[in-house]
Amino acid sequence: MVFPEKSSVCFIGDSIVAADKFTRILTDFFVLHFPEKEILFHNISMPGATAISAIRSADWILEYYHPTHVFFLFGTNDLQRVLFSDSAKYTEALQKKRDAALCTYIENMRALSDKFSAVPHTFLTSPPHEESACYTSPCYHGFDTQLSRAASALCKAFSNVIDLHSFLEEVNSLRIIPSLLGPDRVHPENICHILIADCILRHLGFKNPLLPLWDTHITTAERALLPKFGILEANAERNHESDARFESTR
């Protein structure tokens, strides 16, 4: 799928989206490779946001932005990481709360889909929660399993899902770098955002997309690692006509 002329693409999510990193790469990608198209990208995200937040904001988003496609990324806040803290002694009652949070999350995502039923939309599953890297921040053991359950449930509930969780978990397990996630175990590092953008573009039908990364504050050391992740970086002077590797499978 490639966005048609005069598109209005909205990204709606939590702090992972609000960081405006993978979204910026996607914006720059279409500006670079499709300069003739009028595609507007809007990041309508907020730290701490949940699916409920988006449901409550749906009417004004639809009225103000007139989206032609929407991407949703929620889960980390919806699934209540606090339920997996070391101080939360495991009990049957606690498990019921965890299960209820997961059920509520799926119900809310269904309601969100209904709100945006007139607009093509895609769900992104949440990136993993880092439970293996040696960080000093608290580790919420078992929360990544909950995120995995949520990703699986979302994929079963909808056909329009990009399973970032499974993809990033597999890449993270290779330990090409200590972790794709930052010291707080939740928020993606630069390379993780680049991988997210690449994954979305491949889902949209682009084969071996050339990513414009000049607006991501990526370090020289991070840039040197990109080939190990299979990332192809666009030169600032390249465009889709001068580089044969840019190709769509649409």
Side-chain angles (χ1 to χ4, degrees):
M1 176 193 65
V2 177
F3 306 120
E5 292 276 359
K6 297 184 179 180
S7 295
S8 176
V9 182
C10 294
F11 296 94
I12 306 175
D14 52 26
S15 57
I16 294 170
V17 190
D20 201 27
K21 291 189 176 182
F22 76 83
T23 51
R24 171 54 55 187
I25 296 170
L26 293 172
T27 301
D28 289 346
F29 177 89
F30 281 92
V31 170
L32 174 67
H33 295 297
F34 298 98
E36 74 284 356
K37 287 192 174 184
E38 294 182 33
I39 306 176
L40 298 178
F41 291 86
H42 311 282
N43 192 335
I44 314 166
S45 305
M46 184 180 298
T50 63
I52 284 291
S53 309
I55 292 170
R56 292 170 178 167
S57 303
D59 290 340
W60 76 262
I61 290 174
L62 291 166
E63 181 178 352
Y64 186 81
Y65 291 101
H66 302 288
T68 57
H69 196 94
V70 178
F71 291 89
F72 298 109
L73 195 163
F74 293 105
T76 300
N77 300 314
D78 306 71
L79 297 169
Q80 302 178 45
R81 188 169 56 147
V82 68
L83 296 176
F84 296 82
S85 67
D86 289 339
S87 60
K89 185 177 180 181
Y90 183 82
T91 62
E92 187 175 330
L94 177 61
Q95 185 60 50
K96 287 182 178 179
K97 289 182 180 180
R98 294 174 176 178
D99 293 341
L102 176 57
C103 289
T104 299
Y105 166 68
I106 297 300
E107 289 172 3
N108 289 338
M109 294 300 263
R110 288 186 186 278
L112 188 58
S113 184
D114 289 343
K115 275 284 189 180
F116 286 84
S117 59
V119 181
H121 52 274
T122 301
F123 295 103
L124 308 174
T125 63
S126 292
H129 174 259
E130 180 58 78
E131 298 182 14
S132 299
C134 296
Y135 288 142
T136 58
S137 57
C139 182
Y140 294 78
H141 294 286
F143 187 61
D144 188 57
T145 299
Q146 183 80 328
L147 289 173
S148 180
R149 292 176 65 201
S152 178
L154 202 63
C155 289
K156 289 179 181 177
F158 304 98
S159 59
N160 47 332
V161 180
I162 302 176
D163 189 1
L164 295 179
H165 184 275
S166 296
F167 166 65
L168 294 173
E169 193 166 53
E170 181 178 354
V171 176
N172 202 35
S173 69
L174 300 176
R175 298 299 171 184
I176 296 172
I177 57 176
S179 179
L180 294 176
L181 290 308
D184 67 355
R185 303 178 183 274
V186 172
H187 292 93
E189 294 279 45
N190 282 339
I191 287 179
C192 190
H193 277 283
I194 294 168
L195 286 167
I196 291 172
D198 186 75
C199 182
I200 292 172
L201 287 170
R202 290 176 186 274
H203 178 85
L204 291 175
F206 293 98
K207 180 181 179 181
N208 300 325
L210 294 170
L211 303 186
L213 303 178
W214 43 81
D215 199 24
T216 57
H217 306 292
I218 185 172
T219 67
T220 301
E222 289 171 329
R223 179 167 275 111
L225 289 168
L226 295 180
K228 294 184 178 182
F229 290 95
I231 299 297
L232 300 177
E233 185 177 0
N235 185 290
E237 297 178 354
R238 277 194 185 123
N239 58 45
H240 65 290
E241 294 177 346
S242 62
D243 197 311
R245 288 180 301 177
F246 178 80
E247 159 181 17
S248 174
T249 59
R250 62 189 181 280

